[in-house]
Amino acid sequence: MLKKFDNPIYVTRPLLPPLEVVTKKLQEIWDAKWLTNNGAQHQLLEAYITQYLNIPALSLFNNGTIALIVACQSLRISGEVITTPFTFPATPHVLTWNNIKPIFCDIDPHSLNIDANKIEAMITPETTAILAVHVFGNPCDVFKIQEIADYYGLKVIYDAAHAFGTEIDNIGIGQFGDISMFSFHATKLFHTVEGGALAFKDTNLKPRIDLLKNFGIKNEEMVMMPGINGKMNEMQAAVGLCVLDCLAEERQKRKQLLEVYHQHLKKIPGIYFTQVPDINVTQQSYQYFCIRINAQEFGKSRNEVYDILKTCNIFVRKYFYPLCSDYPCYKQLPSAHKDNLPIANQIADEILALPFYGELPVADVEQICHNIAIIHQNN
Ligand SMILES: *Cc1c(COP(=O)(O)O)cnc(C)c1O
């Protein structure tokens, strides 16, 4: 029998440090009377995250979307950029806000990331960059993508919003490509309520990025360029410092839940997990746990499973459905046509994000898996 939970279970819950710890941190801000513009908390957080992510340089932002807009500006990206339709709306919207045309490329059915083997066919004389997403924290084929970029003289920007802490061969994910964007939104594993960062290998980029996020103001007498307000404030940075202290335990708990999910769900026909072929992922981000449901083999469609779980008070999510290529603002683009994106269209109908956060009891995960098994058996 299906178990109905007494209280609703959501896909995620924000990681909340003890309130006393946060108020103590806020007292430091009150004492300093410095609320934003590269204050003490900001400087500390920037240093800690640079170290945590194992990257040469970092710049904090008020959110990930503004950070990604600035990334495009700082590299002077224009014309066309090849990207994925299987992502959060911010990814293609950032291109639009930069007056750049997004070109949608199909995805790999195992990693759910942009299919590096299909990028070359989409390059035109207008192409200036590749904007790829490490979907659910699983790394893209960063080596193949860099090879293509080098051959055609393109920049590479990664939307690493899900990939906080991901490492390949013990190298921080932010060391790949020209710039990587991290999001510190409340729903992300590490968060600053709202926030984000740009990571980059080329430390020469930092002065320009830091100018661009502060209106281009160099000093009291000089405004260098048309910048924007992308600054992270001291309250955000303080919350981030407190969340950082809770991160190791949260990751450990999510690692355990991931194992429980795998152990129970792998036995059910028609359920597939994401896989990253040919890349040595030495550390995972544990941002989301998503499965694919093959309707024929499982016996019910993803939408049916979603509806049934909802009646059990389990609120799963269809990440990422609809595809960006189906939004009214993009669907008229030639690259958005379904014939160009067969895999992305299939995956968008199969994908389901299951509840995944440290506070979720193991017994609840077992019960969720049990419910999914029953939905399969009830065909
Ligand atoms: C969360 C997210 C963003 C946006 O980040 P914000 O910090 O909310 O602006 C961008 N891309 C992806 C893939 C995301 O999940």
Side-chain angles (χ1 to χ4, degrees):
M1 231 184 59
L2 285 172
K3 175 180 161 162
K4 183 173 178 199
F5 283 87
D6 296 333
N7 295 309
I9 298 203
Y10 300 104
V11 157
T12 194
R13 306 256 76 186
L15 184 51
L16 291 173
L19 191 56
E20 317 84 80
V21 176
V22 179
T23 46
K24 225 170 122 191
K25 210 82 185 104
L26 293 183
Q27 186 64 51
E28 290 178 26
I29 300 174
W30 258 242
D31 293 344
K33 298 192 195 315
W34 189 298
L35 299 184
T36 187
N37 289 60
N38 199 25
Q41 310 294 333
H42 183 287
Q43 289 176 26
L44 256 184
L45 186 67
E46 201 165 84
Y48 281 155
I49 294 182
T50 307
Q51 198 177 33
Y52 190 96
L53 292 179
N54 194 357
I55 44 171
L58 182 98
S59 184
L60 295 176
F61 278 81
N62 52 358
N63 64 61
T65 304
I66 295 284
L68 203 51
I69 288 176
V70 168
C72 293
Q73 294 264 330
S74 68
L75 297 173
R76 305 188 196 289
I77 309 292
S78 62
E80 295 181 357
V81 168
I82 296 168
T83 191
T84 171
F86 190 70
T87 183
F88 187 71
T91 319
H93 286 355
V94 158
L95 298 174
T96 303
W97 277 73
N98 276 294
N99 222 350
I100 296 164
K101 185 172 169 188
I103 304 293
F104 295 112
C105 177
D106 207 6
I107 62 172
D108 174 87
H110 306 292
S111 69
L112 314 186
N113 292 322
I114 193 166
D115 187 340
N117 295 312
K118 293 186 178 157
I119 291 175
E120 265 183 289
M122 320 229 52
I123 296 172
T124 76
E126 305 300 313
T127 311
T128 58
I130 299 163
L131 171 55
V133 182
H134 302 301
V135 174
F136 309 140
N138 294 317
C140 295
D141 191 343
V142 291
F143 304 108
K144 173 91 191 181
I145 289 173
Q146 194 59 55
E147 219 174 86
I148 297 166
D150 290 344
Y151 188 81
Y152 290 92
L154 306 176
K155 300 284 188 197
V156 179
I157 301 178
Y158 285 109
D159 178 335
H162 298 173
F164 192 86
T166 298
E167 294 191 356
I168 300 173
D169 294 325
N170 296 312
I171 299 168
I173 194 82
Q175 298 212 32
F176 298 93
D178 293 283
I179 299 184
S180 297
M181 176 278 278
F182 293 91
S183 167
F184 306 151
H185 181 260
T187 54
K188 304 302 200 279
L189 172 69
F190 168 75
H191 74 90
T192 58
V193 185
E194 292 261 11
L198 294 180
F200 33 91
K201 278 187 308 256
D202 180 3
T203 50
N204 292 324
L205 276 174
K206 183 146 169 76
R208 185 146 90 246
I209 288 174
D210 285 347
L211 276 174
L212 277 171
K213 77 174 174 191
N214 187 26
F215 312 99
I217 299 173
K218 173 102 173 154
N219 57 44
E220 283 178 56
E221 318 251 320
M222 179 72 168
V223 176
M224 302 276 289
M225 54 182 83
I228 198 164
N229 185 356
K231 301 186 304 296
M232 177 181 283
N233 67 49
E234 288 292 274
M235 312 283 269
Q236 290 172 292
V239 170
L241 286 166
C242 301
V243 172
L244 214 46
D245 288 336
C246 311
L247 214 52
E249 193 185 337
E250 175 70 14
R251 295 179 78 98
Q252 195 51 42
K253 287 181 181 165
R254 289 189 185 204
K255 182 166 186 273
Q256 189 196 3
L257 297 181
L258 188 70
E259 283 160 11
V260 176
Y261 267 128
H262 275 158
Q263 189 196 332
H264 287 83
L265 295 178
K266 72 179 179 205
K267 300 178 250 175
I268 305 174
I271 298 220
Y272 293 89
F273 307 123
T274 53
Q275 278 170 15
V276 192
D278 306 327
I279 299 261
N280 180 28
V281 183
T282 45
Q283 208 186 147
Q284 298 191 40
S285 75
Y286 304 110
Q287 172 64 57
Y288 287 112
F289 177 68
C290 295
I291 56 170
R292 284 197 292 123
I293 298 174
N294 179 306
Q296 213 151 42
E297 296 168 30
F298 183 79
K300 285 217 160 47
S301 70
R302 184 277 313 273
N303 286 347
E304 289 172 301
V305 175
Y306 171 94
D307 291 337
I308 295 168
L309 289 176
K310 202 181 229 176
T311 66
C312 304
N313 239 345
I314 306 166
F315 295 88
V316 294
R317 296 292 298 268
K318 304 173 190 177
Y319 285 152
F320 292 104
Y321 170 89
L323 295 174
C324 297
S325 47
D326 284 336
Y327 301 168
C329 49
Y330 299 125
K331 70 176 185 207
Q332 80 292 351
L333 293 171
S335 66
H337 201 276
K338 279 194 169 27
D339 294 344
N340 181 49
L341 307 165
I343 308 291
N345 276 279
Q346 180 200 334
I347 301 291
D349 287 337
E350 296 184 347
I351 198 77
L352 200 61
L354 301 184
F356 191 56
Y357 50 92
E359 267 190 1
L360 186 64
V362 168
D364 286 5
V365 170
E366 287 170 340
Q367 189 59 57
I368 292 164
C369 294
H370 185 62
N371 278 10
I372 293 172
I374 287 175
I375 295 170
H376 163 64
Q377 284 156 14
N378 283 352
N379 285 300

